[in-house]
Amino acid sequence: MIFEITSRQEWTSILESMDAFDVYHTYDYHHLAISESESAILLLYIEGAAMVAIPIIYRSIPETNLFDVTSVYGYPGPISTGITPNFDTKKMSKEIITYFKTKGIVSVFSRLNPYIPNQSFLLEHLGGLNIAGQVVGIDLTLGVNQQRERFSSRLKTQLNQLRRNTSVREGVGQADIASFFEIYTESMDRLNAADRYYFSLEYFTKLFVSDQIGAKLLLAECQINGEVMAGSIFFVSGNI
């Protein structure tokens, strides 16, 4: 059976019952991403003890009565629990396709998550998989010295030079968020980035307010004049 989940409480409860999920599956992240004309739904499929949930963004196609579905920017894709080698992916696929047809949905796109199990298996009978690019992963189970041994000699030299005059601290409060927002916007301007890569100060602020997103802000600061030189936002979800 297929269910549409739209309430924050139920959405969160379902995520917590899954084997694994990431920030990009949360209710809050979706509702920061959608526009006024879009809606976010957690599509839930239940078959016996197995559950599969796929977060989607539902969009109308202008000048038609049809719709398309996409995913948030990031790494979502299906999450699951109770999946065994005997799980019938064909049956699930047929039910999902029937659901899409009854809703007038003519196309579906979702980015996947390299750290969530069973995603390729669950989607094997739903459309096709396309590798669009590489994802860089850092093994945080290695010690700091082991990680540094893997750096190129040039990178080691650059880091040593920076370490003499730079410190890294966690950003706290609105002033630090505003500093990051200014640097981020300047970077997008310099790169002539497309509009979709621009975010408002309000957007960044809401990232840090949400208890579902677990956002951490790190700022690199010049020790000579105290100026913030660079910043990065990290999302923390479980062990990801």
Coordinates of all heavy atoms in Angstrom, one line a residue, residues 4-16 21-34 39-42 55-57 72 76 79 203 206-207 210-213 237:
E4 N 0.6 8.9 1.4 CA 1.2 10.2 1.3 C 1.4 10.8 2.7 O 0.4 11.1 3.4 CB 0.4 11.2 0.4 CG 0.3 10.7 -1.0 CD -0.6 11.7 -1.8 OE1 -1.3 12.5 -1.2 OE2 -0.5 11.6 -3.1
I5 N 2.6 11.1 3.1 CA 2.8 11.7 4.4 C 3.2 13.1 4.3 O 4.2 13.5 3.5 CB 4.0 10.9 5.1 CG1 3.7 9.4 5.1 CG2 4.2 11.4 6.5 CD1 2.4 9.0 5.8
T6 N 2.5 14.0 4.9 CA 2.7 15.5 4.8 C 2.9 16.2 6.2 O 3.4 17.3 6.2 CB 1.6 16.2 4.1 OG1 0.4 15.9 4.7 CG2 1.5 15.7 2.6
S7 N 2.6 15.5 7.3 CA 2.7 16.2 8.6 C 4.1 16.0 9.1 O 4.7 14.9 8.9 CB 1.7 15.7 9.6 OG 2.1 14.4 10.1
R8 N 4.7 17.0 9.8 CA 6.0 17.0 10.3 C 6.2 15.8 11.3 O 7.2 15.1 11.3 CB 6.4 18.3 10.9 CG 7.9 18.4 11.3 CD 8.1 19.8 11.9 NE 9.5 20.1 12.1 CZ 10.2 19.8 13.2 NH1 9.7 19.2 14.2 NH2 11.5 20.1 13.3
Q9 N 5.2 15.7 12.2 CA 5.3 14.7 13.2 C 5.4 13.2 12.6 O 6.3 12.4 13.0 CB 4.2 14.8 14.2 CG 4.2 13.8 15.3 CD 3.1 14.0 16.3 OE1 2.3 14.9 16.2 NE2 3.0 13.1 17.3
E10 N 4.5 12.9 11.7 CA 4.4 11.6 11.1 C 5.6 11.4 10.2 O 6.2 10.3 10.2 CB 3.1 11.4 10.3 CG 2.8 10.0 9.9 CD 1.5 9.8 9.3 OE1 0.8 10.8 9.1 OE2 1.1 8.6 9.0
W11 N 6.0 12.4 9.5 CA 7.2 12.3 8.6 C 8.4 11.9 9.4 O 9.2 11.0 9.1 CB 7.4 13.6 7.9 CG 8.4 13.7 6.8 CD1 9.7 13.3 6.9 CD2 8.3 14.3 5.5 NE1 10.4 13.6 5.8 CE2 9.6 14.2 4.9 CE3 7.2 14.9 4.9 CZ2 9.8 14.7 3.6 CZ3 7.5 15.4 3.6 CH2 8.7 15.3 2.9
T12 N 8.6 12.7 10.5 CA 9.8 12.4 11.4 C 9.8 11.0 12.0 O 10.8 10.4 12.1 CB 9.8 13.5 12.5 OG1 9.9 14.8 11.9 CG2 11.1 13.4 13.4
S13 N 8.6 10.6 12.4 CA 8.4 9.3 13.1 C 8.8 8.2 12.1 O 9.5 7.2 12.5 CB 7.0 9.1 13.5 OG 6.8 7.8 14.1
I14 N 8.4 8.3 10.8 CA 8.8 7.3 9.8 C 10.3 7.3 9.6 O 10.9 6.2 9.5 CB 8.0 7.6 8.5 CG1 6.5 7.3 8.7 CG2 8.6 6.8 7.4 CD1 5.6 7.8 7.6
L15 N 10.9 8.5 9.5 CA 12.4 8.5 9.3 C 13.1 7.8 10.4 O 14.0 7.0 10.2 CB 12.9 10.0 9.2 CG 12.5 10.8 8.1 CD1 13.3 12.1 8.1 CD2 12.6 10.1 6.7
E16 N 12.6 8.0 11.6 CA 13.3 7.4 12.8 C 13.1 5.9 12.8 O 13.8 5.2 13.5 CB 12.8 8.1 14.1 CG 13.3 9.5 14.2 CD 12.7 10.2 15.4 OE1 11.7 9.7 16.0 OE2 13.1 11.4 15.7
F21 N 18.9 7.2 7.5 CA 18.4 8.4 6.7 C 19.4 9.5 6.9 O 20.2 9.5 7.8 CB 17.0 8.8 7.2 CG 16.9 9.4 8.5 CD1 17.0 10.8 8.8 CD2 16.7 8.6 9.6 CE1 16.9 11.3 10.0 CE2 16.6 9.1 10.9 CZ 16.7 10.5 11.1
D22 N 19.3 10.5 6.0 CA 20.2 11.6 6.0 C 19.4 12.9 6.2 O 18.2 13.0 6.1 CB 21.0 11.7 4.7 CG 22.3 12.4 4.8 OD1 22.5 13.1 5.8 OD2 23.2 12.1 4.0
V23 N 20.1 14.0 6.4 CA 19.5 15.4 6.5 C 18.5 15.6 5.3 O 17.5 16.2 5.5 CB 20.6 16.4 6.6 CG1 20.0 17.8 6.3 CG2 21.3 16.4 7.9
Y24 N 18.9 15.2 4.1 CA 18.2 15.5 2.9 C 16.8 14.7 2.8 O 16.1 15.0 1.9 CB 19.0 15.1 1.7 CG 20.4 15.7 1.7 CD1 21.5 15.0 2.1 CD2 20.6 17.1 1.5 CE1 22.8 15.6 2.1 CE2 21.8 17.7 1.5 CZ 22.9 16.9 1.9 OH 24.1 17.5 1.9
H25 N 16.6 13.9 3.8 CA 15.3 13.2 3.9 C 14.3 13.9 4.8 O 13.1 13.6 4.9 CB 15.4 11.8 4.3 CG 16.2 10.9 3.4 ND1 17.6 10.7 3.5 CD2 15.9 10.3 2.2 CE1 18.0 9.9 2.5 NE2 17.0 9.7 1.7
T26 N 14.8 14.9 5.6 CA 13.9 15.4 6.7 C 12.9 16.4 6.2 O 13.0 17.0 5.1 CB 14.8 16.2 7.7 OG1 15.5 17.3 7.0 CG2 15.8 15.3 8.3
Y27 N 11.8 16.5 7.0 CA 10.7 17.4 6.7 C 11.2 18.8 6.6 O 10.9 19.6 5.7 CB 9.7 17.3 7.8 CG 8.5 18.2 7.7 CD1 7.3 17.8 7.1 CD2 8.6 19.5 8.2 CE1 6.2 18.6 7.0 CE2 7.5 20.4 8.1 CZ 6.3 19.9 7.5 OH 5.2 20.8 7.5
D28 N 12.0 19.3 7.6 CA 12.5 20.7 7.6 C 13.3 21.0 6.3 O 13.1 22.1 5.8 CB 13.3 20.9 8.8 CG 12.5 21.0 10.1 OD1 11.3 20.9 10.0 OD2 13.1 21.3 11.2
Y29 N 14.2 20.1 5.9 CA 15.1 20.4 4.8 C 14.2 20.6 3.5 O 14.4 21.5 2.7 CB 16.1 19.3 4.6 CG 17.1 19.7 3.5 CD1 18.2 20.5 3.9 CD2 17.0 19.3 2.2 CE1 19.2 20.8 2.9 CE2 18.0 19.6 1.2 CZ 19.0 20.4 1.6 OH 20.0 20.8 0.7
H30 N 13.2 19.7 3.4 CA 12.3 19.8 2.2 C 11.5 21.1 2.2 O 11.3 21.8 1.2 CB 11.3 18.6 2.2 CG 11.9 17.4 1.5 ND1 12.8 16.6 2.2 CD2 11.7 16.9 0.3 CE1 13.2 15.7 1.3 NE2 12.5 15.8 0.2
H31 N 11.0 21.5 3.4 CA 10.2 22.7 3.4 C 11.0 24.0 3.4 O 10.5 25.1 3.1 CB 9.3 22.7 4.7 CG 8.1 21.8 4.5 ND1 8.2 20.4 4.6 CD2 6.8 22.0 4.2 CE1 7.1 19.9 4.3 NE2 6.2 20.8 4.1
L32 N 12.3 23.9 3.5 CA 13.2 25.0 3.2 C 13.5 25.1 1.7 O 13.7 26.2 1.2 CB 14.5 24.9 3.9 CG 14.6 25.5 5.4 CD1 15.9 25.2 6.0 CD2 14.4 27.0 5.3
A33 N 13.4 24.0 1.0 CA 13.7 23.9 -0.4 C 12.6 24.2 -1.3 O 12.9 24.7 -2.5 CB 14.2 22.5 -0.7
I34 N 11.4 24.0 -0.9 CA 10.3 24.2 -1.9 C 9.8 25.6 -2.0 O 10.0 26.4 -1.1 CB 9.1 23.3 -1.5 CG1 8.5 23.7 -0.1 CG2 9.4 21.8 -1.6 CD1 7.3 22.9 0.3
S39 N 4.9 21.3 -3.4 CA 4.6 20.7 -2.2 C 5.5 19.5 -2.0 O 6.0 18.9 -2.9 CB 3.1 20.2 -2.2 OG 2.9 19.3 -3.3
A40 N 5.8 19.3 -0.7 CA 6.7 18.2 -0.3 C 5.9 17.0 0.2 O 5.1 17.2 1.1 CB 7.8 18.6 0.7
I41 N 6.2 15.8 -0.2 CA 5.5 14.6 0.3 C 6.5 13.5 0.5 O 7.5 13.3 -0.2 CB 4.5 14.1 -0.8 CG1 3.4 15.2 -1.0 CG2 3.9 12.8 -0.4 CD1 2.5 14.9 -2.2
L42 N 6.3 12.8 1.6 CA 7.0 11.6 1.9 C 6.2 10.4 1.4 O 5.1 10.1 2.0 CB 7.4 11.4 3.3 CG 8.3 10.2 3.7 CD1 9.7 10.4 3.1 CD2 8.4 10.1 5.2
P55 N 11.1 10.6 -0.4 CA 10.7 12.0 -0.3 C 10.7 12.7 -1.7 O 11.7 12.5 -2.4 CB 11.8 12.7 0.6 CG 13.0 11.8 0.4 CD 12.5 10.4 0.1
I56 N 9.6 13.4 -2.0 CA 9.5 14.0 -3.4 C 9.0 15.4 -3.3 O 8.4 15.8 -2.3 CB 8.6 13.1 -4.3 CG1 7.2 13.0 -3.6 CG2 9.2 11.7 -4.5 CD1 6.2 12.3 -4.5
I57 N 9.3 16.1 -4.3 CA 8.7 17.5 -4.5 C 7.8 17.5 -5.7 O 8.2 17.1 -6.8 CB 9.8 18.5 -4.7 CG1 10.7 18.6 -3.4 CG2 9.2 19.9 -5.0 CD1 11.9 19.6 -3.5
V72 N 14.9 17.1 -3.6 CA 15.6 18.3 -3.1 C 17.0 18.3 -3.6 O 17.6 17.2 -4.0 CB 15.6 18.3 -1.5 CG1 14.3 18.6 -1.0 CG2 16.2 17.0 -1.0
P76 N 19.1 12.7 -1.4 CA 18.0 12.0 -0.8 C 17.8 10.5 -1.3 O 18.6 9.7 -1.0 CB 16.8 12.8 -1.2 CG 17.1 13.5 -2.5 CD 18.6 13.6 -2.5
I79 N 14.6 5.5 1.3 CA 15.1 4.9 2.6 C 14.2 3.7 2.9 O 13.1 3.7 2.4 CB 15.2 5.9 3.7 CG1 13.8 6.6 3.9 CG2 16.3 6.9 3.5 CD1 13.8 7.6 5.0
Y203 N 17.2 32.0 4.6 CA 17.4 30.5 4.4 C 18.5 30.0 5.2 O 18.3 28.9 5.9 CB 17.7 30.3 2.9 CG 18.1 28.9 2.6 CD1 17.1 27.9 2.2 CD2 19.4 28.4 2.6 CE1 17.4 26.6 1.9 CE2 19.7 27.1 2.3 CZ 18.7 26.2 1.9 OH 19.0 24.9 1.7
K206 N 17.6 29.7 8.9 CA 16.6 28.7 9.2 C 17.3 27.3 9.3 O 16.9 26.4 10.0 CB 15.5 28.6 8.2 CG 14.5 29.8 8.4 CD 13.3 29.7 7.4 CE 12.3 30.7 7.7 NZ 11.2 30.7 6.7
L207 N 18.4 27.2 8.5 CA 19.2 25.9 8.6 C 19.7 25.6 10.0 O 19.7 24.5 10.5 CB 20.4 26.0 7.7 CG 20.2 25.8 6.2 CD1 21.5 26.0 5.4 CD2 19.5 24.5 5.8
S210 N 16.8 24.7 12.8 CA 16.1 23.4 12.7 C 16.9 22.4 13.5 O 18.1 22.2 13.4 CB 16.0 22.9 11.3 OG 15.7 21.6 11.2
D211 N 16.2 21.7 14.4 CA 16.8 20.6 15.1 C 16.9 19.3 14.3 O 17.5 18.3 14.7 CB 16.0 20.3 16.4 CG 14.6 19.9 16.2 OD1 14.1 19.9 15.0 OD2 13.9 19.6 17.1
Q212 N 16.3 19.3 13.1 CA 16.4 18.1 12.2 C 17.6 18.2 11.3 O 18.1 17.1 10.9 CB 15.1 18.0 11.3 CG 13.9 17.7 12.1 CD 12.7 17.5 11.2 OE1 12.7 17.8 10.0 NE2 11.6 17.0 11.7
I213 N 18.1 19.4 11.0 CA 19.2 19.5 10.0 C 20.5 19.4 10.7 O 21.5 18.9 10.1 CB 19.0 20.8 9.3 CG1 17.7 20.8 8.4 CG2 20.2 21.1 8.4 CD1 17.3 22.1 7.7
S237 N 23.7 14.1 10.7 CA 22.6 13.3 10.8 C 23.0 11.9 11.2 O 23.6 11.2 10.4 CB 21.8 13.2 9.5 OG 20.6 12.4 9.6

